[in-house]
Amino acid sequence: MDLTKEDKMLLAGAEDKFQQCCQQYRLTHTAFLDLRQRSLVEKLCQKLCRETKDVRCVFYGGYEDAERTMAVFLPDYAEASDCPLSVIRINTAPGGKMLSHRDYLGSLLGLGIKREMTGDILTTDHGADIIILNEIEDFLLLNYDKAGRTALTLAAVPIGALCIPEQKTVLRKDTVASLRLDNVIAAAFSLSRAKAAEAIRSGSVFVNSMQAEKTDMQVAEGCKLVLRGKGKAYLREAGGKTRKDRIAVVIERYV
C-alpha cells in the first residue's frame, strides 16, 4: 500500500503517542480514526507492541461496535474506558425536521470542528448522540445550536449513558464458489464478482476493521465485512457443499 504524506504524518503521530505512554507511563491516544486510518495504525501498533511488552494498544470508540475509533495506548493499570470521551446528546423540537447523519456532520464541520475530534454520530427519531473528545464539549455546548435551520437542544452526558439505536439487519442465504473475499463480498452486497474485486483493489473493503488488499483472501465465519459506501455485514455461517459443489453461506447485513 502506497502511503500519502497524510498517512506518514498520521503514523508518526501515533508512534509519538506510543512513546509518550512508554516514557511517562500514562494513557495516551490518537484522535478518532476512520477505517482506513485505523488499518494503517493497527499494523504499526502490532509492530510497536511486539517490541515493547509494557504497553497495550486497543481501539476504542465509546462502545463495542463503533466505526470511528481511537488508538489507545495503555499502561498496565489503565483501561480503554478511561479515555476522555463524552457524549453530546441532541434533541430536536417535536414535529420538526428529522435530521440525518449528514446534517449533523455538516453543521459540525461548519462550526470549524475537525472530523477527527468526533466519533460516531448515532441518530434517533428525535435527535442524536455524538461521541466527542472532552476538550470540545464546552465549545459545542456554547455554540452548537443549529443544524441548518433546525434548532438544537444540547446536553453533555457521560459515555456510559450513550444511547445506541437498535440496528436492523437482514439474513441473506446464498452460495459461493469458495470463501475467497471477492466471492463473499459479491454475495453480501449483491455485486458481480468483478465489481467486488474492483472494490477490494481500490481499498474500499475492510475485514475485521483491517483494510483488505487481496481478492483471494480467505474469509471465515464471524468475519465483519465493510464495503465503503455500501455498509456492513457479517458472515454468520459457511456450511457444506451443494450438489453443484458450491458452499452455502448465511450473511447478516445491516440495513
Side-chain angles (χ1 to χ4, degrees):
M1 184 189 304
D2 293 331
L3 297 181
T4 65
K5 179 180 178 181
E6 289 75 18
D7 292 337
K8 293 175 182 177
M9 291 175 61
L10 170 72
L11 294 174
E15 185 165 4
D16 183 57
K17 293 295 184 183
F18 177 86
Q19 296 300 337
Q20 287 180 25
C21 180
C22 292
Q23 295 165 10
Q24 302 172 19
Y25 202 57
R26 64 180 178 87
L27 182 153
T28 60
H29 60 84
T30 65
F32 285 101
L33 309 169
D34 63 25
L35 285 174
R36 181 179 183 277
Q37 292 168 330
R38 170 177 170 161
S39 185
L40 292 171
V41 172
E42 189 161 357
K43 290 178 182 177
L44 172 67
C45 291
Q46 289 170 354
K47 175 178 178 292
L48 294 174
C49 290
R50 282 197 300 268
E51 297 171 353
T52 304
K53 303 297 184 183
D54 294 335
V55 171
R56 292 177 291 135
C57 175
V58 299
F59 289 85
Y60 181 66
Y63 66 107
E64 183 178 356
D65 206 26
E67 181 172 323
R68 293 179 60 79
T69 57
M70 304 181 300
V72 185
F73 303 106
L74 298 166
D76 56 15
Y77 66 85
E79 298 295 335
S81 56
D82 297 330
C83 281
L85 297 183
S86 63
V87 175
I88 292 294
R89 177 157 294 161
I90 297 174
N91 287 293
T92 54
K97 176 185 176 184
M98 184 183 298
L99 299 177
S100 67
H101 183 282
R102 179 176 293 184
D103 292 324
Y104 290 114
L105 179 57
S107 56
L108 287 167
L109 296 176
L111 278 177
I113 299 295
K114 293 182 178 180
R115 187 64 179 107
E116 60 263 31
M117 301 299 288
T118 60
D120 286 1
I121 299 172
L122 305 176
T123 60
T124 66
D125 292 344
H126 53 272
D129 275 6
I130 303 177
I131 302 170
I132 62 166
L133 288 170
N134 284 356
E135 61 195 82
I136 65 170
E137 180 182 298
D138 290 342
F139 176 84
L140 289 179
L141 291 175
L142 286 171
N143 297 284
Y144 191 33
D145 56 3
K146 283 187 178 180
R149 296 182 179 180
T150 301
L152 307 177
T153 302
L154 272 64
V157 300
I159 193 67
L162 179 69
C163 181
I164 304 171
E166 183 178 355
Q167 291 188 286
K168 296 179 181 179
T169 64
V170 294
L171 287 178
R172 176 184 174 86
K173 295 182 179 181
D174 206 338
T175 63
V176 293
S178 71
L179 294 179
R180 283 172 51 118
L181 180 59
D182 53 358
N183 289 332
V184 178
I185 289 295
F189 298 99
S190 302
L191 301 174
S192 69
R193 183 175 165 188
K195 288 288 187 182
E198 181 182 338
I200 296 165
R201 287 192 289 266
S202 71
S204 297
V205 173
F206 300 82
V207 179
N208 296 331
S209 300
M210 294 291 287
Q211 191 171 31
E213 300 175 359
K214 296 182 178 180
T215 58
D216 62 353
M217 172 184 177
Q218 292 296 298
V219 182
E221 285 187 2
C223 279
K224 175 184 175 182
L225 309 167
V226 173
L227 174 55
R228 185 180 288 160
K230 292 289 187 179
K232 175 175 64 177
Y234 285 86
L235 178 59
R236 292 303 186 193
E237 296 179 23
K241 294 288 185 75
T242 68
R243 286 181 294 179
K244 295 184 178 181
D245 205 33
R246 292 174 65 84
I247 300 172
V249 295
V250 177
I251 294 168
E252 182 180 20
R253 182 174 174 184
Y254 286 70
V255 295

